[in-house]
Amino acid sequence: MFRNNYDNDSVTFSPQGRIFQVEYAAEAVKQGSVVVGIASKTHAVLVAIKRNAEELSSYQKKLFPIDEHTGIAIAGLTSDARVLSNFMKQQCLGHRLSYGRNMPVRSLVDQIGSKAQINTQHYGKRPYGVGLLVAGVDEQGPHLFEFQPSGMTEEMQAFAIGARSQMARTYLEKNLSEFASCGREELVRHGLKALKESLVQDRELTVENTSVGIVGVGKAKDGSTKVEPFKVYDGQDVNAWIDSVADDKEAATAEGETMEVDDE
Amino acid sequence: MAAMFSQNPVMNGPNYSFSDSPQTNAPEGAREHRFDPYTDNGGSTLAIAGADFAILAGDTRLTSGYSINSRHHPKVFKIGGTTADQHDATLAISVVGFAADGEALKERLDAICKMYRYRHGKPMSVKACAQRLSTILYQKRFFPYYSHAILGGLDEEGKGAVYSYDPVGSYEREQCRAGGAAASLIMPFLDNQVNFKNQYVPGSGEGHALQERERNPLSRNEVEVLVKDAFDGAVERHIEVGDGLQMMIITQDGIEEVLLPLKKD
Amino acid sequence: MDHRPQAWGRPRDDVYGAYDGSYLQSGGPKTATQSPVVTGTSVVAIKYKDGVVIAADNLASYGSLARFTDVKRLRVFLGTSVVGFGGDVSDMQWLDRHLNELAIDESYDDEPSPSSLLSASPNKGHGKLNAANLHVYLQKLMYRRRNDFDPLWNQLLIAGLDAAGKPHLSSVDLRGTAFTSPSLATGFGAALAQPIMRRHAPTEEAAAALTREEAVGVVQECMKVLYYRDARSLDRYSIAVVTKEGVELKEDEQLERQSWAFAERIKGYGTQTV
């Protein structure tokens, strides 16, 4: 019987130049439910499908705030994600303490990239079994980054990871040109529409299984830029958004910023 | 170290704060090696707990010797909010003494409260925060944070709570407390006006056996006036107090910040 | 307060009694602590409508000896902020090297990213540290060194703009004490220059009404008074104006319109009339 001799650890290359443990970790990401992220000129949003193990259990959290200007969406092992999210939280707090500013999102993502890479090159270690979408704003504006267990990180305008995420990505590719100029609500609707593409047959977006996270930049009264802190919306807070992208309303809902969900 | 907070400089004529040639029997050419890591930046703070609110106040002057370094340097801070602007904070701390230590202490406690809130999804209670602050201070028992901290918030029953500390972590919940340079000027005033010490009902007994004036909680407006009066008095009599009065009023609806002018002389 | 850098950070005799140097005899514990050797005197700075004016003379003294007469004590950071150094010159040079490293690290993050094309302010640079950020950083650095009993024997003034683009002026000293004010001065300047500057800018609002010419004039006046009265000062100085356009730094200015006529009238220590 065939046995793969090159996947016992993450430090051995296969003759084809592959590191199987890292590839398996990437598979773990595909087991997680789908998450979508999109960035515009003013906002970055994350939307996610939450799963419950059984009817009676609660839904697994998919979105985590990191700092006031950053949040993450996860696909894969939740417990691995918590290690990374705690690390990111500490880095952001430390940076704020030392410099009195929001940590630049790219530096933050670079840090978890380096951290994850170490696990792919040391004997006895295991790569993180989780992929992240990192949404944040800094002096440069909104950002969206993808993070993979290999330690790869890349800045994206829109992306989706997790189970059946290819369909969501196809939607995002089709509508890519619109995102940059989208407002807050429009961006969320695009995210939810992309999410719907990835749903299995007979499943729908509900207030129980949908999470939305938003971060953005606006102008303060004195003309300086002000951060709209990263906030996760769950339950009834996402109802209006879900309704607005419901199939029957699709045609009726014209573009525009008429919906008010945020109470701030 | 008690002399650090001495309010009365030696009044025996003009002198340097050190002698020009330090007394030493060190070998030829050896220089004095000593760095004093502490200094006193003056200023005063005050906190009063009410029935359903707590007020923390401090002047905004920062001094070094006879110099005024800054006329607007806050000593009272909101802590434990989820964002840097602390819009949803539920606690406040005042620090007075050595400014750099005070601010380091404030930032540490703030970081701890923020992590607590992140992990538990709810703000830290004053009681828990008070205990934690004591631990932080005592951990530096042999190189203390040289500041007199006062923590304010609302307790589990919604009553105003004020906790005061010494620099090495001994603490106590109190009705009111004054700290810093003019503490000894303000505290007796508070004893009389908040706790009605030495106030008796006239004609209620023979000789000194009079009935004490009944204590009832002060209203928020009364307390605000009391704070302003206390500081106006302190400004008159203490050179390290003045410029501005900063007040944090902690209520069920959040923390309100008020800035009033004080004499700048 | 004694304004000589030598006095900074030393225990007061009137509080602690005369210093007992007996432990210096031999061996003993390792002491990382120093005292300043070659020193720079005052730095003065004032905010105005569009920025900050900051100045310091070009002298580095060795005790009472005017040892180096061409030492630049203003340092530009990332082309957007200025740090002025009072106190020990070797510690200033260490800080200068350290700030260079920080600026280089910060510039590495400056690569334009794909999203900078769609961001509100494209290619503005990746979160350059502004003066307010730099102030926080230097405060942490100085405070850490005092906690290690290995202080950097300086008082620093940081001039530039904050995140909102408003003028920023702040100070950090060897113990990590940090503060801001419409005008600031280190060393002797705290006694001689600060009263002059506070006449023109007593409050933030008054400072925000000053023009550039007025602010430069006030600082020049302060430098002159300091040269008249501070025996450890020089009539050659550096002056920088920081605005959102950047930093204009002149490093070889000469004090003008000096008049030493007042010197003839000085007798004794001020109260003497005969």
Side-chain angles (χ1 to χ4, degrees), chain A residues 71-87:
Chain A
I72 56 169
I74 66 159
L77 299 179
T78 309
S79 38
D80 281 17
R82 198 162 57 235
V83 173
L84 284 171
S85 102
N86 278 337
F87 173 78

Side-chain angles (χ1 to χ4, degrees), chain A residues 165-219:
Chain A
S165 56
Q166 182 52 53
M167 267 87 89
R169 284 199 295 275
T170 307
Y171 173 89
L172 296 171
E173 282 162 20
K174 243 185 268 170
N175 295 278
L176 184 63
S177 57
E178 293 175 31
F179 298 150
S181 54
C182 273
R184 188 177 186 273
E185 309 297 324
E186 254 179 293
L187 212 55
V188 173
R189 281 200 290 275
H190 273 304
L192 290 175
K193 283 183 203 165
L195 212 54
K196 281 171 72 155
E197 299 285 324
S198 286
L199 286 177
V200 283
Q201 285 278 292
D202 305 330
R203 287 290 298 276
E204 280 186 0
L205 296 181
T206 66
V207 290
E208 282 82 33
N209 73 3
T210 310
S211 270
V212 175
I214 306 177
V215 64
V217 279
K219 285 270 182 265

